[in-house]
Amino acid sequence: MPAPEMRVISLLSATTDLVCRLGMAHCLVGRSHGCDSPDIVASVPVVTAPNVDPNLPSAALDAAVREQAAGGGPVYRIDATQVETLRATVIITQSQCRICAVTADDLRSVCALLGNARVISVQPITLDDVFSDVRVIAEALGVPERGTLLEAKMRAQFAAIMPIVREAQRALLPPPPPPRIAHLEWLAPMMGSGYWIAECCELAGARMIAGSAGGSAPCIPL
């Protein structure tokens, strides 16, 4: 009996990019409104939209999103009819933040008829979690060997950074203090970063001024 056709809906830009890096772009049948890269996904149907105007100024958009969330309503709407029509076998979303993107709970509460679709929800806190998600998604797409290769490539790229950083530090006498980096996720109110972003900064020989490895994005008082 032939294997069932792989039909994938990705509701997170990072996972849409990952699906493509795994060589499975041809299996994408649906995406979120925020999934606009790589260019090959432009023809894939969009199944979500924000419930607030994304073109508002930063502070006004933050207030609108907080009001929407405080009222218990979803920040994003899902075209349930289209999702069901697309007959996905795998749906990829996230459980990290209900403000940032569609969550698995949003999906299940709106789409009553998901059939036998496998829902994969990522929630990376550390770099190791990011690498683990590569394996999980590759396995769900039926290409575990590609996931293993991609993870190895990503780890090698990170590992290559440290010798470069150490050589640059040795060339400076006396060695300066680590650069201090402000990595911002939002401008008004100003929000720093955390999670795996802080680890990336540390690997590059720098320190975050707002946010720590494994921590959430803090607001920065002005």
Side-chain angles (χ1 to χ4, degrees):
M1 185 180 223
E5 178 187 8
M6 184 68 66
R7 299 177 62 83
V8 182
I9 295 177
S10 175
L11 301 178
L12 189 65
S13 56
T15 57
T16 297
D17 180 74
L18 178 55
V19 170
C20 294
R21 293 184 70 184
L22 289 168
M24 299 296 284
H26 62 286
C27 294
L28 283 168
V29 297
R31 62 183 172 106
S32 79
H33 60 282
C35 298
D36 56 6
S37 179
D39 293 342
I40 194 173
V41 306
S43 61
V44 177
V46 174
V47 300
T48 66
N51 279 325
V52 297
D53 182 0
N55 297 313
L56 289 171
S58 184
L61 180 55
D62 178 75
V65 168
R66 290 178 186 273
E67 181 180 0
Q68 180 77 13
V75 178
Y76 305 96
R77 60 182 178 274
I78 304 169
D79 187 336
T81 300
Q82 188 175 31
V83 169
E84 293 162 4
T85 300
L86 291 172
R87 298 178 291 106
T89 55
V90 176
I91 302 177
I92 311 171
T93 185
Q94 59 88 41
S95 299
Q96 187 85 280
C97 170
R98 67 182 295 254
I99 303 299
C100 305
V102 171
T103 68
D105 287 341
D106 293 335
L107 183 67
R108 293 188 182 97
S109 65
V110 172
C111 302
L113 301 176
L114 290 178
N116 295 320
R118 179 179 176 183
V119 177
I120 304 294
S121 185
V122 300
Q123 191 176 359
I125 304 297
T126 66
L127 269 176
D128 277 339
D129 293 337
V130 174
F131 298 139
S132 176
D133 286 337
V134 171
R135 297 194 305 272
V136 169
I137 291 173
E139 185 276 329
L141 300 184
V143 288
E145 70 290 344
R146 297 184 192 177
T148 299
L149 291 172
L150 180 56
E151 179 192 1
K153 179 180 179 180
M154 293 169 67
R155 286 187 180 275
Q157 288 172 327
F158 276 101
I161 294 172
M162 291 306 297
I164 297 172
V165 171
R166 286 195 294 268
E167 182 177 349
Q169 290 170 336
R170 284 196 298 267
L172 298 173
L173 295 174
R180 290 161 56 82
I181 294 178
H183 185 283
L184 302 179
E185 293 192 0
W186 202 256
L187 293 178
M190 194 171 290
M191 296 181 187
S193 301
Y195 300 120
W196 67 93
I197 298 296
E199 288 183 77
C200 293
C201 290
E202 291 168 4
L203 286 171
R207 291 180 182 172
M208 298 271 283
I209 65 172
S212 58
S216 58
C219 285
I220 304 173
L222 298 178

